[in-house]
């Protein structure tokens, strides 16, 4: 596995395993167990995924030393604010059954995320979190947070795939020293990504699938990826991307697929802000 070094010196695997939309405890625990068995060491969950307990159970049963794992979870909008964020963090820590979190992220750029960030800075300084970051922060909000924070975010997890390349956002993150991480690196299956002709023609040259080409394209841009699957053979396939390198011509051809906007979610819209602020994950 290859690693990236975050802006605070912490090393993070460049490929991990995500568990979004796998809320069923038994299914999630088995998926994480399989992912760990085939070689993943970065596991990405969130309070809003309702599966932190299952992730924690799989970690305990794996027998893998804690220091070899990189565990990410996230703070939901409902728990934004200084006091709420601290309470939510310890709830997640307890559900995971861990002594510390490798990476803790603000899940959405809404609510009192400045209060949340102050709490996270303190937890980071206390060693409870090894790195702190954000998700879904567009360049303007990311730059604003950096201008007013004591600790610069280590990671910004955003939607990044061949149909939404976000080159401008990546440029801003590079300027700010923030590591980009891709959620939905395979566009959640949209645009026929698994059979798309442009990706297939590139994959044929290397004996790789469309999914492997899409994942490799992101990693060659320096983006950390967290593909998801509940099928062990797919987990292995997604991990098998380190024995080939896309050419500059290949990279440009994939870049050309960019639509310039998301077809999954628009975090700049009023409707999205209202929807995510109204989504409650507990009483």
């Amino acid at each position: 596995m290859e690693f990236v070094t975050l802006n605070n010196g912490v090393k993070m695997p460049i490929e991990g395993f995500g568990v979004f939309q796998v809320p069923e405890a038994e299914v999630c625990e088995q998926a994480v167990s399989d992912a760990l068995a085939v070689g993943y060491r970065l596991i990405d969950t969130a309070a809003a995924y309702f599966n932190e307990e299952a992730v924690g159970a799989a970690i305990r049963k794996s027998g893998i030393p804690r220091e070899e794992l990189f565990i990410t979870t996230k703070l939901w909008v409902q728990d934004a604010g200084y006091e709420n964020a601290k309470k939510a963090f310890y709830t997640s820590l307890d559900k995971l059954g861990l002594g510390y979190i490798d990476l803790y992220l603000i899940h959405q750029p809404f609510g009192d995320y400045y209060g949340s960030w102050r709490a996270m800075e303190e937890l980071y300084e206390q060693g409870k979190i090894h790195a702190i970051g954000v998700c879904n922060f567009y360049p303007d909000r990311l730059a604003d947070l950096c201008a007013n924070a004591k600790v610069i975010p280590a990671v910004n997890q955003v939607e990044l795939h061949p149909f939404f390349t976000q080159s401008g956002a990546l440029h801003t993150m590079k300027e700010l020293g923030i590591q980009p991480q891709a959620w939905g690196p395979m566009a959640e299956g949209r645009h026929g990504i698994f059979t798309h002709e442009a990706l297939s023609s590139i994959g044929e040259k290397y004996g790789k699938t469309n999914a492997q080409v899409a994942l490799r394209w992101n990693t060659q841009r320096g983006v950390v990826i967290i593909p998801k699957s509940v099928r062990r053979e797919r987990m292995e396939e997604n991990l098998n991307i380190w024995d080939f390198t896309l050419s500059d011509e290949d990279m440009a051809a994939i870049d050309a697929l960019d639509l310039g906007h998301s077809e999954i979610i628009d975090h700049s819209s009023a409707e999205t802000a209202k929807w995510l602020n109204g989504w409650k994950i507990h009483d």
Side-chain angles (χ1 to χ4, degrees), residues 17 27 65 68 73 86 91 110-111 133 203 220 228 243 265 278:
F17 182 75
V27 175
E68 294 182 15
T73 193
K86 283 197 170 182
T91 296
F110 301 115
Q220 284 187 212
K228 178 201 76 176
D243 58 352
I265 188 170

Side-chain angles (χ1 to χ4, degrees), residues 23 37 53 63 145 203 250 255 266 277:
E53 297 99 325
L145 178 61
D250 296 331
D255 289 343
D266 178 6
N277 271 283

Side-chain angles (χ1 to χ4, degrees), residues 11-271:
K11 291 191 179 298
M12 178 184 190
I14 199 168
E15 182 171 8
F17 182 75
V19 294
F20 176 52
Q21 294 178 329
V22 192
E24 300 87 355
E26 186 175 342
V27 175
C28 183
E29 183 179 333
Q30 185 61 55
V32 174
S33 294
D34 287 343
L36 293 171
V38 303
Y40 291 89
R41 291 297 178 265
L42 187 168
I43 305 297
D44 180 280
T45 183
Y49 298 170
F50 303 106
N51 55 22
E52 289 173 312
E53 297 99 325
V55 170
I59 290 170
R60 288 190 296 276
K61 292 176 182 178
S62 73
I64 298 170
R66 175 65 182 94
E67 61 272 16
E68 294 182 15
L69 300 174
F70 192 102
I71 309 302
T72 300
T73 193
K74 310 177 189 80
L75 174 75
W76 186 244
V77 184
Q78 182 182 2
D79 295 316
Y82 180 81
E83 294 295 342
N84 286 341
K86 283 197 170 182
K87 181 179 178 181
F89 168 77
Y90 282 107
T91 296
S92 289
L93 197 67
D94 182 61
K95 287 182 177 182
L96 286 161
L98 300 175
Y100 66 90
I101 299 297
D102 295 276
L103 177 64
Y104 195 52
L105 304 174
I106 292 177
H107 204 156
Q108 305 288 351
F110 301 115
D112 180 18
Y113 59 80
Y114 271 98
S116 301
W117 194 253
R118 290 195 300 273
M120 289 164 60
E121 287 177 328
E122 290 184 9
L123 291 164
Y124 168 69
E125 291 170 350
Q126 294 165 8
K128 294 295 184 179
I129 310 170
H130 288 181
I132 55 177
V134 296
C135 299
N136 302 306
F137 272 55
Y138 286 178
D140 56 341
R141 293 207 178 197
L142 189 62
D144 182 65
L145 178 61
C146 288
N148 294 283
K150 180 166 60 173
V151 178
I152 300 300
V155 171
N156 185 21
Q157 186 183 115
V158 297
E159 180 188 351
L160 289 167
H161 51 74
F163 307 106
F164 191 36
T165 65
Q166 296 223 61
S167 57
L170 290 182
H171 179 73
T172 298
M173 286 183 238
K174 185 176 181 179
E175 283 188 330
L176 296 170
I178 297 170
Q179 173 63 47
Q181 183 178 38
W183 64 256
M186 289 181 282
E188 296 190 344
R190 287 171 168 79
H191 303 287
I193 189 170
F194 300 116
T195 56
H196 196 284
E197 185 177 349
L199 298 175
S200 296
S201 63
I202 293 172
E204 287 173 4
K205 296 191 297 183
Y206 304 100
K208 295 296 181 179
T209 66
N210 285 29
Q212 290 170 321
V213 169
L215 294 174
R216 187 67 177 126
W217 165 80
N218 245 333
T219 63
Q220 284 187 212
R221 300 196 302 159
V223 175
V224 172
I225 52 173
I226 45 171
K228 178 201 76 176
S229 178
V230 295
R231 295 168 57 187
R232 185 166 177 150
E233 64 270 22
R234 293 296 184 204
M235 297 176 195
E236 293 173 341
E237 176 186 311
N238 293 339
L239 203 58
N240 185 23
I241 62 170
W242 304 104
D243 58 352
F244 75 109
T245 301
L246 297 169
S247 68
D248 291 343
E249 181 182 15
D250 296 331
M251 294 292 287
I254 298 171
D255 289 343
L257 300 177
D258 183 32
L259 298 173
H261 62 272
S262 171
E263 292 193 337
I264 298 175
I265 188 170
D266 178 6
H267 283 88
S268 67
S269 78
E271 290 306 312

